[in-house]
Amino acid sequence: MKETPQRLRSFASPTRDKIIIWSAVIAGCGIMALLGRHTAIHRFGTDEFTGNILFAVFFVLTIGLYCGFQSIIDELFGKLPFLFRRKSAILVAETPDGEYIPIETSTQPNIADYSADNDLQTDVLESDVEFDDEYYPDDEPIDEDGKTSEPDNDDELLDAYLDSLSEREREDFINGITRVQKEPEYDENIGCFTTYGESVVHHNPDGTTLIEEYEHDCFLTPDGSVYSIENIDEMVKFYEKHHTEVELHNKLISQHHQCNAAHEEVKEEDLKFSLSQIEFLCAYITHMMQPYLEAEELQKLHHNAKVWTINAMPPFSPVNLRSDHLTKEDLKHLGYNVGKFLRLRGEEIARFVKKVFEKPFENTHIRTIVQKLRESKSTKERIPIHTADQMDRLFEHFKRYGNINPKILQK
């Protein structure tokens, strides 16, 4: 390689190593100058202006010292890598095909001596290396006859590989199944099971001490509360005892979401009633009929009332009552109250009662129901008669307070 003339080296672009060295030098000199300024101001009471002057002086002096000793420092750092470098040699091996393979070794070989010149250039040594005919690589199995037992074709290789697998791995390989181990992902608001240690110390009369160590299983909540297994067992027993009420609550919440979804659907229809009126009907029916219907049946009744707001004569779905606590008069009163709020005629209300409460009115004609819609045999009906004006008052109260309160009709 042609060397750069000495007179042109100053015009050459700096190398990356030079840039790194000078950056480190400037940073080091700046830190030392800052330390000197800090000491002069806070240790010896010098003012800020004098401290800045001292900083500049220290900075220039440290850079000047480095420039003065630069050649010595560069020579020292240039020789450091060679002090810890291990001597190496290159051997050239000749194969039976006449090919030469260079082999580098970090130790001096016994078959030849090597030396390094002043420029640290390694001599290349050549030696003839011949492989014995009986030599085989370590990864090739050898049978009793001295021959390699490597399979001859791909089928034998595949059979050998399948034999090395377990039964499940073999089935996965044949069927092209890949199994990936995944960890379950939980929400941050979910706790976890863990253990905590407890020690009980017993001081024996003979002066010895017995320490009993226990590990207790517990459940750790996200807020840091700890529940023992006994507490968890009590919670499970409580859930098993009251799971019916919990499931009903969940069903009611689900029903509320479904009612909201139905509201979104009916927005696209040409309705005679507003969504607030439909929501009032759902709340009114829930208030009156929840004690006597299962959650699924209550949902059916809500659906019948919602489709009633769209079409006065739709195909209704029958609803099954939970018990016989409600009389026919109660059911007719419910249909009358809802129908009058929707401003429907008596025949339309009677058909609603007949189709929705099919089993109690299976032997009753629609004409008979029309004649006795407002009939009250006693004052103990669970669902009283509400006129259209009273339903409107309940609706205004619902819009303002968000609940159903029939007591306001008595004022």
Side-chain angles (χ1 to χ4, degrees), residues 275-295:
L275 295 178
S276 59
Q277 289 173 308
I278 297 175
E279 187 176 2
F280 164 72
L281 286 181
C282 291
Y284 179 81
I285 291 173
T286 300
H287 180 81
M288 293 296 180
M289 299 296 292
Q290 181 178 348
Y292 315 108
L293 293 177
E294 298 291 345

Side-chain angles (χ1 to χ4, degrees), residues 70-133:
Q70 180 182 3
S71 60
I72 299 175
I73 295 174
D74 290 343
E75 184 178 358
L76 177 61
F77 278 97
K79 289 183 178 181
L80 281 177
F82 298 101
L83 295 176
F84 302 97
R85 181 179 177 182
R86 298 183 63 182
K87 296 181 180 181
S88 61
I90 296 178
L91 303 180
V92 179
E94 182 179 1
T95 63
D97 298 336
E99 229 181 289
Y100 292 94
I101 302 176
I103 302 175
E104 183 177 356
T105 177
S106 60
T107 58
Q108 295 185 7
N110 296 328
I111 61 174
D113 296 333
Y114 90 102
S115 62
D117 56 9
N118 294 332
D119 295 334
L120 298 176
Q121 295 179 351
T122 306
D123 293 340
V124 179
L125 303 180
E126 297 183 359
S127 63
D128 295 335
V129 179
E130 296 183 358
F131 295 97
D132 191 3
D133 294 338

Side-chain angles (χ1 to χ4, degrees), residues 177-183:
I177 299 174
T178 302
R179 299 181 184 270
V180 179
Q181 187 70 28
K182 300 289 288 185
E183 295 293 336

Side-chain angles (χ1 to χ4, degrees), residues 231-241:
N231 301 133
I232 300 296
D233 186 61
E234 292 296 328
M235 294 178 184
V236 172
K237 291 179 180 178
F238 179 83
Y239 175 78
E240 291 177 349
K241 184 178 179 180

Side-chain angles (χ1 to χ4, degrees), residues 255 258-259 261-263 265-266 278 281-282 285-286 293 295-311 314-319 338 342 352 356:
Q255 171 191 333
Q258 292 176 358
C259 190
H263 290 172
E265 293 178 1
V266 297
I278 297 175
L281 286 181
C282 291
I285 291 173
T286 300
L293 293 177
E296 294 84 358
E297 303 302 320
L298 187 60
Q299 182 179 349
K300 290 182 183 179
L301 187 56
H302 282 171
H303 178 72
N304 289 328
K306 283 181 286 187
V307 299
W308 209 12
T309 62
I310 301 173
N311 185 3
F316 295 109
S317 300
V319 175
V338 176
L342 298 179
F352 173 86
V356 173

